[in-house]
């Protein structure tokens, strides 16, 4: 039957509709098959990603660290970004370790001074404290028994608050004699053993007495000197943070 004025006869129209339905039906089934395959692959990829990245990696919070110290950590003579805590944080972040670092260094502070300000220098919620104190004690010839007592109190009070502690050791200058040096230098390894806390034996290892790495006073590291301190101490700090992350926070 012929078309009149663009109108399709009912019989031919029905035939065309059936053809279109069959055609779209085949396409729909094909799309459905392809979509199903895509979803299957997506599920497999998600499963593999989950295996490769454990769930705790998504939920681990940055470790909150405080460096409790004197001018060596305060960064005397250096811009704030060149101080030891800032550079340590940057080095850790470069290795994918997220930390929130607080510089609680006070120039001129002794171990007793650090103990006296401990509560407000280390706020609640702190996960770990790196204790860098004692250099001024040694330079002033303070009785090593007083230094030992102050550091002991610091460690005990932090541990009582469930805050992890890492000690940075100091060495006495030779001008006070061998007996003073022996009494002072033994403080840090003794406390590390007594309280089972990690110890970095000498904070200024590789820097002390090297004029190229110290400022004009011969005591405080330059920015390059701080880089060396951070580089040498980094493995100990990484292990320290690892022990913190082993426990729920």
């Amino acid at each position: 039957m012929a078309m009149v004025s663009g109108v399709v006869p009912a019989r031919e129209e029905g035939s065309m509709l059936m053809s279109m339905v069959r055609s779209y039906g085949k396409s729909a089934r094909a799309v459905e098959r392809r979509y199903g395959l895509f979803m299957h692959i997506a599920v497999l990829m998600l499963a593999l990603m989950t295996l490769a990245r454990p769930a705790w990696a998504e939920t681990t919070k940055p470790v909150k660290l405080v460096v409790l110290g004197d001018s060596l950590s305060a960064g005397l003579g250096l811009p704030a970004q060149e101080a030891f805590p800032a550079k340590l944080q940057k080095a850790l972040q470069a290795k994918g370790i997220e930390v929130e670092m607080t510089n609680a260094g006070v120039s001129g502070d002794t171990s007793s001074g650090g103990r006296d300000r401990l509560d407000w220098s280390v706020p609640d919620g702190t996960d770990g404290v790196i204790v860098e104190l004692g250099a001024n004690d040694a330079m002033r010839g303070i009785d090593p028994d007083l230094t030992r007592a102050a550091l002991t109190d610091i460690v005990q009070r932090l541990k009582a608050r469930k805050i992890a502690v890492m000690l940075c050791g100091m060495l006495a200058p030779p001008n006070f004699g061998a007996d003073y040096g022996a009494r002072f230098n033994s403080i840090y390894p003794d406390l590390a053993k007594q309280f089972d806390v990690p110890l970095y034996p000498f904070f200024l290892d590789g820097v002390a007495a090297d004029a190229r790495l110290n400022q004009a006073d011969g005591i405080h590291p330059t920015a390059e000197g701080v880089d060396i301190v951070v580089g040498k101490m980094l493995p100990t700090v990484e292990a320290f943070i690892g022990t913190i992350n082993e426990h729920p926070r």
Side-chain angles (χ1 to χ4, degrees), residues 1 21 24 49 52 61 72 101 104 117 149 154 165 204 211 231 238:
M1 184 178 295
V21 168
Y24 277 100
M49 289 171 65
K61 299 179 295 185
L72 295 176
M101 189 79 70
R117 62 182 174 88
I154 288 172
V165 181
L204 293 174
E238 285 186 73

Side-chain angles (χ1 to χ4, degrees), residues 86-110:
K87 287 201 166 187
L88 178 60
Q89 180 177 22
K90 186 176 180 179
L92 290 167
Q93 289 176 335
K95 303 195 75 165
I97 302 171
E98 289 300 319
V99 296
E100 293 180 9
M101 189 79 70
T102 299
N103 185 345
V106 174
S107 295
D109 225 355
T110 61

Side-chain angles (χ1 to χ4, degrees), residues 68-70 106 108-121 131-138 140 142-154 157 184 188:
L68 181 72
D70 48 39
V106 174
D109 225 355
T110 61
S111 297
S112 296
R115 174 187 58 192
D116 293 343
R117 62 182 174 88
L118 181 64
D119 290 339
W120 60 264
S121 292
V131 180
E132 178 276 302
L133 287 166
N136 288 312
D137 302 55
R140 299 173 191 178
I142 291 175
D143 186 342
D145 288 344
L146 296 178
T147 301
R148 182 185 292 268
L151 291 173
T152 297
D153 197 19
I154 288 172
R157 286 165 59 183
F184 183 90
Y188 300 91

